[in-house]
């Protein structure tokens, strides 16, 4: 019961091995909470789309279970699937169909009675209303992406999967899409976003899962992940540039940057004794004057690279 | 709990495609039927004479209808399911809360409807060339519907099985067309040598054409009971194959 209330999706022991022996997913265990934006990060071929495809019923798993709001996606597939909307990575649409008919078709597939009023609201929200009678083939790539979102939302799902939503999308559309995703989250929709753009996850997600070579390496709150793994850098701008690190400062593992004008000290902000004051004392003792001090947080990209390469 | 809206969405979507191309949908069978009558009915038919006391022009009408219905059933159903596989839009069907039976009803129902309409158009067109008599109209409708359904199911299977647009045309061309032409559409198999009569009985189309012709003129190459049994056997076989496809996800799910 707790699972039904707290988790939109619950994946247990999921494995996928293709007929050629390639293992695309290995023992995936994952819970996606109701109403959160969950970003699944991973390089190309990590297994992100395979995982989504199995949850949505497009691909078969080799073993394991998927539950959507407590409903098994195989034995209770009707209820499980009715909760889910999927925006696939590829722009796959019926080129000769109009926007209106295509969205209406998607709503019908999910067993919903026709609702012209809802589709009108949806198309207006996605700035597609004036294109409702246009054939999809006449639309730009960005517009087609919006049509895909409209189709996925046509049956008013509680969970929305966005598989690489930013691929082939310009900056302006990306920002407006992110805004729409946030608005959806405010209405209680859980959003699962797969991406290999770190900035997207950093900007949008509440929690982040990192998948690589079919294995889910970690799942963590974005903030705590960055706190836990994101070491900080102390940047000390010097009055006079240094050719090398003075011997008394070697124990701090400092680095020189900007042609010797900046001393860089990496430290763990979660530790109380992080040696910053000790370092500043040493600078004073050795008559190394500084004019400015700044700090820099590791980006999610650096964390991601660390984890994937580990 | 049946997903009626889902079935209707697929059915309407498929029918809309035929309506978009209504001109060629209607014109094609009308023109080809007219050509068959010009060539076989008038030019060649007058030299052949009556078969089973039926004028040759009238004799070929049930065969012509079957020819159109078989071809259209396979073409419509195979294209209907292959097209979303090819474009990738099949993801939407597979991720929807639809059972395999509901998906099949949507696609096969639409393909069968279209081929029945084409069959009726051919019948009406033939009526302009020869007097047509239908002695068992209910059985005629039964054969028409069962044949459309069975061959739409076969087309559906072909559409799932093939892996390229070229095969969408070559399978019907290399397999279905010969079976149809050798299935007694334009002749009675009793006109063939004994050996070839026996070989013809291996051709499923013989039973369809024979049963259908019986419903028109009470003239048949095989007993209508046998025709009905054979149609049911083909139908059940196709349904079993479709059920297996959905159970295993063959060519649909990775």
């Amino acid at each position: 019961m707790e699972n039904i209330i707290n988790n939109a999706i619950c994946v247990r022991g999921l494995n996928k091995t293709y007929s050629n022996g390639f293992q695309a997913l290995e023992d995936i265990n994952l819970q996606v909470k109701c109403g959160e934006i969950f970003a699944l990060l991973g390089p190309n071929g990590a297994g992100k789309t395979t995982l989504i495809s199995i949850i949505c019923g497009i691909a078969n798993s080799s073993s394991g279970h998927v539950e959507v709001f407590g409903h098994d996606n195989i034995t209770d597939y009707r209820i499980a699937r009715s909760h889910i909307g999927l925006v696939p990575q590829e722009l796959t649409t019926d080129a000769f169909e109009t926007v209106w008919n295509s969205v209406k078709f998607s709503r019908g597939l999910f067993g919903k009675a026709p609702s012209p009023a809802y589709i009108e609201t949806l198309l207006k929200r996605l700035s597609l209303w004036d294109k409702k009678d246009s054939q999809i083939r006449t639309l730009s790539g960005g517009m087609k992406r919006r049509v895909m979102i409209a189709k996925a939302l046509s049956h008013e799902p509680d969970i929305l999967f966005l598989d690489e939503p930013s691929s082939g999308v310009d900056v302006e559309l990306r920002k407006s899409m992110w805004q729409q995703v946030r608005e959806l989250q405010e209405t209680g929709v859980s959003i699962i976003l797969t991406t290999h753009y770190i900035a997207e996850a950093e900007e949008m997600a509440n929690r982040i899962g990192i998948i690589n070579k079919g294995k889910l390496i970690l799942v963590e709150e974005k903030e705590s992940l960055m706190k836990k793994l994101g070491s900080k850098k102390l940047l000390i701008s010097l009055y006079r540039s240094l050719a090398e690190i003075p011997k008394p400062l070697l124990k701090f593992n400092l680095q020189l940057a900007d042609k010797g004008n900046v001393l860089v000290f990496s430290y763990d902000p979660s530790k109380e004794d992080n040696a910053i004051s000790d370092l500043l004392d040493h600078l004073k003792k050795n008559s190394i004057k500084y004019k400015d001090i700044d700090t820099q947080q590791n980006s999610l990209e650096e964390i991601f690279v660390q984890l994937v390469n580990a | 709990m049946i997903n009626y809206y889902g079935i209707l969405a697929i059915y309407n979507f498929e029918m809309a495609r035929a309506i978009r191309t209504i001109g060629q949908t209607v014109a094609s069978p009308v023109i080809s039927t007219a050509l068959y009558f010009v060539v076989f009915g008038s030019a060649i038919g007058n030299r052949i004479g009556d078969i089973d006391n039926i004028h040759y022009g009238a004799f070929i009408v049930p065969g012509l209808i079957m020819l159109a219905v078989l071809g259209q059933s396979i073409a419509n159903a195979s294209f209907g399911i292959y097209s979303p596989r090819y474009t990738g839009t099949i993801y939407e069907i597979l991720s929807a809360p639809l059972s395999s039976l509901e998906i099949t009803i949507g696609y096969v129902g639409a393909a069968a409807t279209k081929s029945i309409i084409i069959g009726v158009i051919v019948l009406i067109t033939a009526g302009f060339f020869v007097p047509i008599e239908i002695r068992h109209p209910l059985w005629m409708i039964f054969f028409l519907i069962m044949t459309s359904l069975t061959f739409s199911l076969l087309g559906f299977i072909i559409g799932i099985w093939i892996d390229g647009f070229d095969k969408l045309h070559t399978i019907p061309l290399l397999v279905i067309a010969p079976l149809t032409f050798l299935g007694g559409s334009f002749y009675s198999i009793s006109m063939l040598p004994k050996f070839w009569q026996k070989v013809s009985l291996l051709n499923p189309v013989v039973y369809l054409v024979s049963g259908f012709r019986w419903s028109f003129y009470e003239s048949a190459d095989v007993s209508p009971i046998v025709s009905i049994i054979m149609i049911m056997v083909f139908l059940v076989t196709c349904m079993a194959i479709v059920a297996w496809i959905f159970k295993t996800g063959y060519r649909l799910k990775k």
Side-chain angles (χ1 to χ4, degrees), chain A residues 167-234:
Chain A
S167 54
V169 166
D170 64 32
V171 180
E172 199 180 333
L173 178 60
R174 193 180 304 169
K175 281 185 178 168
S176 97
M177 208 161 61
W178 288 354
Q179 184 54 37
Q180 281 153 6
V181 167
R182 279 194 203 94
E183 284 169 17
L184 272 173
Q185 187 194 20
E186 281 164 19
T187 65
V189 176
S190 310
I191 291 143
I192 295 101
L193 181 81
T194 77
T195 183
H196 55 263
Y197 293 116
I198 315 289
E200 196 159 52
E202 204 165 346
E203 170 88 21
M204 303 288 300
N206 302 115
R207 285 198 310 147
I208 289 170
I210 295 180
I211 188 169
N212 190 35
K213 294 176 183 167
K215 289 180 186 169
L216 200 56
I217 302 171
L218 70 79
V219 175
E220 189 85 59
E221 296 282 338
K222 183 183 71 183
E223 306 300 339
S224 72
L225 175 67
M226 295 191 63
K227 226 179 250 176
K228 198 190 284 181
L229 294 168
S231 66
K232 279 183 113 174
K233 285 174 182 167
L234 187 73

Side-chain angles (χ1 to χ4, degrees), chain A residues 210-267:
Chain A
I210 295 180
I211 188 169
N212 190 35
K213 294 176 183 167
K215 289 180 186 169
L216 200 56
I217 302 171
L218 70 79
V219 175
E220 189 85 59
E221 296 282 338
K222 183 183 71 183
E223 306 300 339
S224 72
L225 175 67
M226 295 191 63
K227 226 179 250 176
K228 198 190 284 181
L229 294 168
S231 66
K232 279 183 113 174
K233 285 174 182 167
L234 187 73
L235 308 174
I236 304 165
S237 301
L238 306 172
Y239 265 109
R240 284 185 196 155
S241 62
L242 295 171
E244 57 181 16
I245 308 286
K247 273 189 184 170
L249 301 180
L250 284 177
K251 67 170 182 175
F252 294 102
N253 287 325
L254 298 170
Q255 286 176 314
L256 278 173
D258 192 20
K259 296 174 184 169
N261 286 307
V262 177
L263 273 175
V264 182
F265 172 56
S266 297
Y267 67 99

Side-chain angles (χ1 to χ4, degrees), chain A residues 14 56 70 87 92 130-131 141 158 165 180 194 210 271 280 303:
Chain A
L14 198 69
C56 294
V87 183
T92 48
D130 56 338
K131 299 284 181 189
D158 305 301
Q180 281 153 6
T194 77
I210 295 180
K271 286 184 182 172
L280 295 177
I303 299 169

Side-chain angles (χ1 to χ4, degrees), chain A residues 60, chain B residues 100 242-250:
Chain A
N60 292 326
Chain B
S100 48
V242 170
W244 174 81
I245 286 171
F246 278 105
K247 195 179 174 192
T248 58
Y250 175 75

Side-chain angles (χ1 to χ4, degrees), chain B residues 72-91:
Chain B
Q72 288 292 325
S73 297
I74 288 171
N76 284 319
S78 59
F79 184 82
I81 189 66
Y82 183 68
S83 176
R85 279 185 61 216
Y86 179 77
T87 58
T89 53
I90 191 81
Y91 85 88

